Each structure stands twice: as structure tokens, then as C-alpha cells.
Amino acid sequence: EKTFVLSNKDILCDMVLNPERRGFYRVMYDVQSISDLPFNINMVSSIVQKQVLEDMFSLALGGYQDINMPFLLLKTLDFENLTSHNVWDSLTTNMHIFCSLLKNHKPKQNEIKQFVKKYMANYAANLLHAIGPDDNSRDTVDSAKLRPILYKLLSLVDDDRIISLAKFQFKKNKYNYIL
């Protein structure tokens, strides 16, 4: 464990530790609120966004950080402009991990699902609509990877439209892991 104390708040603007995961360790920012972070999550690259989110979720799950911190950070994330499959994959994976860990605590599990529904689902559904519900010749690598991730995230909120789309894709032998 290594601790760095920087007292001048001015030099902390836009400072991300271990950018793009050059080292094999987690970074915990000792902050009381998200506004205390030394960077704006929406102003860093998608690689750094994923890194910060995964660090926060891992540290929270390990008991090293307040469990609410990653969720507070998510509330500030600009989902409307979030198109990186890497970030969506991290978010989807972590939401499913939390729901899985809370499978015997339905009220808490439902809180996670409601969080996804309130803060993420509409943006994910709009993005899925924008790239199309099925593979096509115009797909970029990012959209081809993003589509099943979005289906998987939206499966958490039990949206009838997504369930019927997923069933249709399942019949075509695609995205089987969603169901």
C-alpha cells in the first residue's frame, strides 16, 4: 500500500492515478463525495472511465470503499454520449454481479434493478435502437460488441420489448447467454 498526500487542490484537477492501468493495482481516491474526485469522469477517455468504475466497484465489493460511491459516480456519468462497449460492458458486468450477490435479498436486488432502470436503461435502449437490434453490414467493431452487452443490461429491468427482441435473437441462435 502506498499513500500520496497532495494538499494543493489546484494541482489535483484532472489527475487520474494509474492511467490506462499501467500498474497492476486498484486506485482508491480518498474522497467524501464524487465532487471531490480530482477529475471529471465525463472528461476522461473511455478507457480511464472503465478503469475508475471497475476500481470503485471492486473496492466497494471488497469493503475498502463505501458501497454507494460507484453508484454516486454513475449518477454523474453522461450516458447520453456513452457509446464505448468497454464502459457499457463494465457497467453491465457490475450490475449483474450486484444482482447475483443479492439474489437472497430481493428488496436490495430490486434497488439495483431500479437504479439501472432510472439511470441507465433508457440510454441503453436508445443506443440499441440507434445501432439496430440485429447485426448488419454497417456495424463497426464497437457496435457489434456493444449490441449483446446492451441486451444483457436491459434484461435486468424486465422490459417487455427487450425480452421479446432477445427471444427473437435467441431463436436465430444469437445472444443465447442473455436468456
Side-chain angles (χ1 to χ4, degrees), residues 8 14 25 35 38 43 50 77 136 156 170:
N8 186 346
D14 297 331
Y25 50 86
S35 62
M43 301 303 285
K50 178 183 178 181
L77 197 58
N136 63 62
L156 277 177
F170 184 78

Side-chain angles (χ1 to χ4, degrees), residues 9 13 24 28 40 55 60 64 77 116 125 127 140 174 177 179:
K9 182 95 172 150
C13 65
F24 295 103
M28 182 173 77
N40 177 333
D55 284 352
Y64 295 99
L77 197 58
V116 169
L127 186 53
T140 63
K174 290 189 174 188
Y177 64 88
L179 297 177

Side-chain angles (χ1 to χ4, degrees), residues 92-131:
T92 300
T93 299
N94 280 294
M95 293 302 114
H96 275 274
I97 287 171
F98 271 82
C99 283
S100 177
L101 290 172
L102 296 168
K103 68 181 174 199
N104 295 325
H105 304 280
K106 292 296 181 196
K108 288 291 182 191
Q109 187 183 57
N110 286 334
E111 281 183 43
I112 300 297
K113 290 181 178 187
Q114 289 305 312
F115 182 91
V116 169
K117 192 171 198 169
K118 182 176 181 178
Y119 291 99
M120 302 163 73
N122 285 337
Y123 298 111
N126 289 342
L127 186 53
L128 182 62
H129 178 73
I131 64 174

Side-chain angles (χ1 to χ4, degrees), residues 50-91:
K50 178 183 178 181
Q51 168 194 343
V52 170
L53 289 165
E54 286 184 352
D55 284 352
M56 280 195 165
F57 277 112
S58 292
L59 291 164
L61 284 169
Y64 295 99
Q65 183 170 300
D66 183 334
I67 198 79
N68 293 309
M69 287 301 279
F71 292 97
L72 292 172
L73 184 61
L74 287 179
K75 288 181 180 180
T76 69
L77 197 58
D78 180 12
F79 285 105
E80 190 168 358
N81 294 306
L82 184 63
T83 58
S84 167
H85 75 275
N86 289 316
V87 178
W88 280 106
D89 186 43
S90 177
L91 298 174

Side-chain angles (χ1 to χ4, degrees), residues 103-169:
K103 68 181 174 199
N104 295 325
H105 304 280
K106 292 296 181 196
K108 288 291 182 191
Q109 187 183 57
N110 286 334
E111 281 183 43
I112 300 297
K113 290 181 178 187
Q114 289 305 312
F115 182 91
V116 169
K117 192 171 198 169
K118 182 176 181 178
Y119 291 99
M120 302 163 73
N122 285 337
Y123 298 111
N126 289 342
L127 186 53
L128 182 62
H129 178 73
I131 64 174
D134 198 4
D135 299 341
N136 63 62
S137 61
R138 295 181 315 262
D139 275 351
T140 63
V141 171
D142 211 44
S143 62
K145 289 182 177 182
L146 186 57
R147 187 175 290 108
I149 293 166
L150 295 172
Y151 273 118
K152 188 174 180 183
L153 176 72
L154 291 167
S155 71
L156 277 177
V157 297
D158 300 327
D159 184 311
D160 290 338
R161 296 169 303 155
I162 297 304
I163 291 170
S164 64
L165 272 172
K167 285 180 179 178
F168 178 71
Q169 297 294 356

